[in-house]
Structures are given as structure tokens and as C-alpha cells.
Amino acid sequence: MTFSVAVAGASGYGGGELLRLLAVHPEFEVRTVTAHSQAGQRLRDVHPHLASYGDLVLEKTEAESLRGHDVVFLALPHGHSGALTEELPEGTLVVDAAADHRLEREADWTDYYPGEWAGSWTYGMPELVLADGGKQRRNLEAARRIAVPGCNVTAVTLALAPLVRAGLIGSEGISTVLAVGPSGAGKKASVGMLASELIGNLVPYNAFGGHRHNPEIRQNLRNASGRDVRLSFTPVLVPASRGILATCTGQLAEGATLERVREAYEEAYGDETFIELLEDGRYPRTSDVAGSNRTQIAFGIDERAGRLIAISALDNLGKGTAGAAVQSANISLGLEETISLPINGVAP
């Protein structure tokens, strides 16, 4: 069976990466692409690298353009998905890459986002370990409304969730610092994203607890451990178009050993196609996962500080956004989870 697909917000970085992955998907046929200001232009004029789409033209992002498809991917700015989705049939699989439906608690939304809370959808992180011993993958089966995680959230959650579930780090004093490529901010024009501002520069942003991914990370770690956690989350823009390198640390729990840590990770991810646990002495590198749906994780114990350190690397547009969307859609539709999702990166 071939599923008809529409991609809304196709002119942006996230939408473009979605289309790159969908171009080789044997079960999906992209029939409609939409945009806002660039509606009416050829997709290839906006994304010259997407040669296989020929003369496909961007339509206006309206419910009328999206109806009639089996699957609709939304790669829109935050706050634009809720009203649009209400006009789509319940049987349509809608996969939203924005934040509109990620948060389970209305208080978390109002604390970090403007506008009304649109409610929560099934969370699109299949590998997320849950406090009852299961994984989020089971909740995605046959789901018709899926919220794709934030890219920073994925990097931190995958690094820390097995540790908090196993009680190997405390719930207080968790610290995360992320080196982040600017493509995660989208394609909109911004002085802070100009090459002259970024090249040769490292720039923290939304620090001091202000980043919107903060409550989403806490939500995931709560679901993984069954208890609330507190963490510090500081992202830093780096002059690399793609990639996230997350360094996460937590207070080592009494009795925790490196052997127990490895066992916790192996139990969580030993059978996961898209999560690579590195051998001792190796560190994650964003260049190794660029263009892939793979996440690398390394871990160790700082005995002098009494802290456990986990480092993860992923492609923010790949596993951090578009890859997670396609992976979750595959599961929802009962397809092989790995279809069209590359394990190999690109180099140099």
C-alpha cells in the first residue's frame, strides 16, 4: 500500500530534511508541499538539493491543501499547528514537528510559551524508556496524532533517561550544556544567525532556565523515572550548520558503578538500531552522525567530583527532527521502523 503524503512548512530546514528522507521512502508518496511566503515557487528553487521532486510547486499552507492525504507532516513555527489540525479528519495521521502538542501539563506550556495550550499528543520518541519498564514505542502503534520531540530534548533525554530510571543519578542538580548548530533555529532571517555573527564565535542563548525545551526534558525524565527532576539546561550556538553535542552530568547515586551504568544503557538501548553506545575511550562527534538518524552516547564517572557524565551527539535536523517524525510515522502505520532512515552519516 502506498500512503499519500503532504508536508506543510516544506520551505524550511526541517521541512526540507523531511522531504529528503521521504524521497526514498517506498511506502510514501509526497503529493503536496506547502509554504507561507514562498507559496507559488517551485520546491527545487527553494531547496535546490531536492532534485527528485522535479517541478512540484509549493502551495499555500491551508487545511484545504492538506485534506485528502493519508499522512500530513507539519514543519511549522510554534503556535500554528493546533488550529490547522482541527480542520483535518481524525483518521489522518498528523505528525507535528513543532512544540504545540508536546507538553502534557498546561502549566508547563503557559510557563514557557505564548498563546493557549493545544493539548498533548502521543510523543514521538520511540526509544524513550518509561518508569514501568516499557518504552514509548508501544504508545505510537496506531496513533493518529504524534508530537515530534525538540532536537535538544532528544539529545538530553536519550543520554539521561536510562540513568534516572535506574536511580544511578539523583533527581536534583542535573546539569546539561549543549553545543548546537544554528539550523535548529529555523530558516527565518535573524541578525544573530548571520555568518558574520557566528563564524569564530560561541554564543549562549536562552540561558538561566529560559529555554523552552526545559519543561519537555523534565517531562521525559519524569516519565522515565516516575519522579520529578530538576535540571540546568544551557544551549550554546556554534558555527556548524548541523549537529548537537550534549554534555550532561548528575550527582552519582550511592552504590553506582561504571559497570551498573553500562548495564543500564545496554538494557535501555542494546537492541536499538539508531542509538550507538560507544566503547570506553571514544567520544561522540557530530560529524559522525551528520545526515543520519543515529545518536551516539558515551558515558563515564568523574570520581573526584562524584558525578556521572553522559555525552550524546545527533543531527538536529535528522534524529532531532525529521528522522524522529518519519520513524514515528512508520511505527504508527505498522511499517518497518527503519524504512528510509539512514544509519550512516556523511563525511567529510
Side-chain angles (χ1 to χ4, degrees):
M1 177 179 179
T2 299
F3 298 92
S4 60
V5 174
V7 176
S11 60
Y13 290 137
E17 186 71 357
L18 262 169
L19 289 165
R20 186 180 74 87
L21 298 178
L22 294 172
V24 296
H25 199 300
E27 309 294 340
F28 287 169
E29 180 184 350
V30 177
R31 297 180 182 174
T32 302
V33 290
T34 78
H36 178 54
S37 61
Q38 292 174 302
Q41 297 185 37
R42 280 198 322 161
L43 177 65
R44 282 197 66 190
D45 293 333
V46 177
H47 292 301
H49 65 294
L50 297 177
S52 66
Y53 287 95
D55 292 326
L56 190 64
V57 174
L58 291 159
E59 301 180 23
K60 290 184 179 180
T61 301
E62 299 172 339
E64 186 62 32
S65 301
L66 303 177
R67 291 194 195 100
H69 297 83
D70 300 311
V71 184
V72 175
F73 291 98
L74 303 177
L76 303 171
H78 303 324
H80 290 71
S81 302
L84 187 63
T85 305
E86 290 179 358
E87 300 185 55
L88 300 179
E90 291 184 4
T92 301
L93 171 57
V94 183
V95 184
D96 186 8
D100 296 39
H101 304 96
R102 295 172 184 163
L103 297 177
E104 299 170 352
R105 296 178 177 178
E106 184 175 2
D108 284 338
W109 175 269
T110 56
D111 194 21
Y112 280 83
Y113 291 90
E116 294 186 4
W117 180 56
S120 63
W121 288 358
T122 305
Y123 196 64
M125 188 184 291
E127 301 94 345
L128 174 62
V129 294
L130 303 176
D132 63 5
K135 289 187 180 180
Q136 180 64 13
R137 180 178 283 106
R138 71 188 183 199
N139 298 321
L140 287 163
E141 297 173 0
R144 285 299 176 266
R145 295 292 188 268
I146 295 173
V148 178
C151 54
N152 296 313
V153 176
T154 299
V156 174
T157 298
L158 293 179
L160 291 179
L163 304 179
V164 296
R165 184 174 72 167
L168 296 171
I169 59 173
S171 301
E172 305 283 328
I174 298 173
S175 175
T176 62
V177 179
L178 288 77
V180 182
S183 59
K187 205 174 181 181
K188 63 183 180 297
S190 171
V191 172
M193 300 298 167
L194 293 174
S196 56
E197 300 289 331
L198 285 177
I199 293 175
N201 204 4
L202 302 176
V203 186
Y205 66 101
N206 291 333
F208 313 124
H211 197 286
R212 291 173 174 178
H213 286 173
N214 191 301
E216 190 181 343
I217 296 171
R218 288 189 277 108
Q219 172 179 287
N220 289 346
L221 298 184
R222 180 176 67 244
N223 287 337
S225 65
R227 60 186 186 276
D228 288 329
V229 303
R230 298 178 67 183
L231 81 156
S232 170
F233 169 54
T234 305
V236 180
L237 280 175
V238 297
S241 59
R242 289 175 179 251
I244 295 175
L245 185 73
T247 302
C248 312
T249 77
Q251 191 68 36
L252 197 64
E254 185 175 353
T257 64
L258 192 58
E259 182 179 2
R260 288 188 61 196
V261 171
R262 180 166 288 280
E263 289 174 353
Y265 276 116
E266 289 288 353
E267 180 183 352
Y269 302 140
D271 60 349
E272 291 291 349
T273 301
F274 297 117
I275 300 182
E276 179 186 12
L277 301 175
L278 298 182
E279 300 172 355
D280 293 345
R282 290 186 60 202
Y283 296 105
R285 305 192 312 172
T286 57
S287 62
D288 293 339
V289 295
S292 79
N293 195 53
R294 195 168 90 258
T295 300
Q296 289 183 330
I297 298 176
F299 49 87
I301 293 176
D302 183 341
E303 299 284 0
R304 297 175 183 84
R307 296 185 70 82
L308 201 158
I309 301 170
I311 306 172
S312 66
L314 55 76
D315 184 330
N316 57 294
L317 295 177
K319 180 58 174 169
T321 305
V326 174
Q327 186 178 350
S328 297
N330 286 341
I331 296 170
S332 168
L333 296 171
L335 303 174
E336 173 58 44
E337 183 174 333
T338 61
I339 292 179
S340 84
L341 296 172
I343 297 176
N344 297 327
V346 294

